[in-house]
Amino acid sequence: MNLNFYPGPSKLYPSVEGYLLDAYRSGILSMNHRSGAFMEMLSETIGAFKEKLAIPTDYEVYFTSSATECWEIITQSLVEKGSLHLYNGAFGQKWYEYAKRLNSGCVAYPFDLEEVPDIKETSLFQPADLLCLTHNETSNGTALPEQIIKSFRELFSGIIAIDATSSMGGVELPWQSADVWFASLQKCFGLPSGMGVMVVSPKAIQKAEQKGDRNYYNSLLFIRENFLKNQTPHTPNILGIYLLGKVMQEVEPIERIGARIQVRAEGWYSCFEKLSIPALVQNPEVRSQTVIVLQGLESFIQKIKKNALAQGIIIGNGYGKWKSTTLRIANFPAISGKDIESLKDLLNHSI
Ligand SMILES: *Cc1c(COP(=O)(O)O)cnc(C)c1O
C-alpha cells in the first residue's frame, strides 16, 4: 500500500474501508432518497458535521457535488452587482475566471505570495456586494491569517465567501467572520472525491432571498428548500453523505484536530530548516498548516520524487508556475504520525 501525501485526492481515513462495506450491507445505497431512512441519515450527518466542526447553530449546511460547483452557486445566487476576488494562486484565480463567465462585474485583486492582503481602503470594495477569499491556497501553500478575515468582516458590509477546500476539517475556522464557507471531501476530510459541502450564514440566506434566483437546479434557494426538509434537489451522493456521517462521528472535535495539525505543521517547517530545504513560503504569517510546500532546483525536486516513488511514497507535484520547482505535502488529519516519519526519513536520505 502506498503512503499518500498528495493534497487531494488524499489519504483516506483507514476506517473508510469498513464503512464502505457497512454502507453496502445497510441497504442505504439502494434506498429511495425521499425515504425516511435517507432523510434520517442526512440529518444525522449534518448534525455530526456541525458538532465536530463547531459550526454556529444558525448556520446551515448543504451538500453539493464539488467545491467548483460552489463557485458557480455563489455567483448565481448571491451576486447582484459584482464580486471582488482576492487571490495569490491558481485556485483563487480559477474561481475568479469561473465567476467572470457568469457575471461580468467581477474584479480581480491578485496579491503576492509572501503578502498579507491587509486592505484598509474601503473604496476598493466598491461596488462589489460579494468578497471572495481563498482560505488555504492549495497550489502554493499559503493561508489567510484569521485576523485578516476578521478585519475584512469589519470593513466590508456585503457577503463574504471563503473557499476552504483544503483546510476545512483540518483547522479551526472563524465561521462568524464569513457568510459562505465551502470545501470538498477529498482533502482534509480524508474521504473519497465527488462531494462538496457548503456552510451558509443567515445573512447569506437573506441575500439569496433578496436576489430571488431560482433559475438553476443548484440555485441556493432551491437547495435550501430541499435541505430544510432533509432532502436534496437531485439524487445525491448517498455513499459520500453516509461516509461523511460515519467519519464525523468518529473524529475528534476540530479544536483538538486543529491543535495536532498545527504541531505537525511546525514540525514540517522546522524539519525543512534543519535539512536546509527552503519552504516556498518564507513569511510564517501566511504559511499554510495543511499544505506544506518545499522548493528546490528542478534536479533536486526530481531526485526526491524518484526516491519517493521507489519507496511507494506519493508526494504532491508542484502546481502551475511552481510545477517543477516545488513539492507539496498534505498535512491532513487522516495522515498518521508514522506516515510522516517515513517521509521525513526519505527527505533525510535524499539530501
Ligand atoms: C481542490 C480545490 C478546489 C476544487 O475542488 P473540486 O472538488 O475539484 O471542485 C477548489 N479550491 C481549492 C482551494 C482546492 O484546493
Side-chain angles (χ1 to χ4, degrees):
M1 180 85 173
N2 286 324
L3 289 187
N4 188 0
F5 290 90
Y6 217 93
S10 55
K11 182 182 175 180
L12 305 180
Y13 278 107
S15 53
V16 169
E17 184 177 4
Y19 295 148
L20 280 166
L21 195 60
D22 293 346
Y24 181 85
R25 290 187 175 154
S26 74
I28 189 86
L29 302 181
S30 41
M31 227 168 255
N32 187 302
H33 64 291
R34 309 284 176 216
S35 68
F38 171 78
M39 286 160 61
E40 195 178 319
M41 192 274 285
L42 179 67
S43 152
E44 279 175 12
T45 299
I46 291 174
F49 185 87
K50 286 184 78 171
E51 186 197 325
K52 289 296 170 65
L53 295 188
I55 293 172
T57 46
D58 60 349
Y59 276 50
E60 295 180 9
V61 173
Y62 319 129
F63 299 134
T64 64
S65 302
S66 65
T68 304
E69 187 190 15
C70 296
W71 291 340
E72 291 205 346
I73 293 172
I74 289 165
T75 299
Q76 285 164 0
S77 297
L78 296 172
V79 181
E80 290 181 289
K81 294 181 206 138
S83 47
L84 174 66
H85 297 251
L86 263 59
Y87 59 83
N88 71 354
F91 285 99
Q93 184 178 348
K94 264 197 224 180
W95 183 1
Y96 164 68
E97 284 160 5
Y98 274 68
K100 203 167 55 171
R101 276 181 237 139
L102 296 173
N103 179 323
S104 55
C106 297
V107 176
Y109 184 96
F111 57 94
D112 287 339
L113 187 74
E114 304 287 347
E115 186 185 345
V116 179
D118 192 3
I119 297 171
K120 300 265 183 331
E121 265 319 307
T122 49
S123 62
L124 186 85
F125 296 117
Q126 304 301 334
D129 49 2
L130 176 79
L131 174 62
C132 299
L133 307 172
T134 304
H135 181 251
N136 197 79
E137 180 47 78
T138 321
S139 66
N140 60 25
T142 56
L144 286 176
E146 186 169 322
Q147 70 274 16
I148 282 297
I149 299 175
K150 289 189 168 150
S151 76
F152 291 149
R153 189 54 145 185
E154 280 164 24
L155 287 170
F156 180 66
S157 60
I159 300 293
I160 301 181
I162 305 192
D163 182 341
T165 302
S166 55
S167 53
M168 191 190 294
V171 303
E172 281 189 89
L173 295 172
W175 300 111
Q176 306 272 13
S177 299
D179 302 295
V180 183
W181 296 84
F182 58 94
S184 44
L185 299 189
Q186 74 276 16
K187 312 259 166 106
C188 272
F189 289 102
L191 284 162
S193 59
M195 196 170 124
V197 50
M198 210 173 185
V199 178
V200 180
S201 77
K203 183 175 163 183
I205 291 163
Q206 223 177 15
K207 174 76 185 186
E209 280 167 351
Q210 182 191 322
K211 178 166 181 185
D213 163 65
R214 290 168 189 280
N215 291 340
Y216 307 95
Y217 86 98
N218 60 3
S219 291
L220 192 74
L221 293 176
F222 185 45
I223 295 177
R224 175 169 195 254
E225 278 158 25
N226 277 276
F227 273 82
L228 286 179
K229 296 180 288 189
N230 287 321
Q231 298 208 349
T232 54
H234 56 87
T235 318
N237 183 343
I238 300 179
L239 178 60
I241 297 170
Y242 178 90
L243 294 176
L244 177 63
K246 290 292 173 190
V247 163
M248 283 294 116
Q249 280 157 23
E250 158 196 313
V251 294
E252 290 181 299
I254 193 62
E255 194 185 339
R256 267 193 257 154
I257 293 183
R260 193 167 68 242
I261 291 298
Q262 186 178 357
V263 170
R264 286 181 174 182
E266 283 161 10
W268 271 121
Y269 289 116
S270 70
C271 163
F272 291 167
E273 214 160 285
K274 268 192 229 129
L275 297 175
S276 303
I277 305 174
L280 175 64
V281 183
Q282 292 300 306
N283 179 1
E285 239 193 307
V286 296
R287 275 179 180 165
S288 166
Q289 293 184 6
T290 52
V291 178
I292 315 285
V293 184
L294 59 86
Q295 64 172 324
L297 294 174
E298 201 166 335
S299 55
F300 174 69
I301 296 295
Q302 295 250 332
K303 184 169 127 192
I304 296 181
K305 273 197 217 172
K306 203 173 118 223
N307 293 353
L309 199 65
Q311 295 196 23
I313 298 180
I314 302 168
I315 312 180
N317 290 325
Y319 199 100
K321 72 174 175 188
W322 294 285
K323 197 168 181 57
S324 52
T325 52
T326 65
L327 287 174
R328 294 177 302 151
I329 299 170
N331 183 31
F332 295 163
I335 293 167
S336 71
K338 204 166 135 239
D339 295 352
I340 294 174
E341 287 318 308
S342 306
L343 180 52
K344 284 186 177 167
D345 271 355
L346 175 108
L347 289 177
N348 256 314
H349 290 113
S350 301
I351 297 295

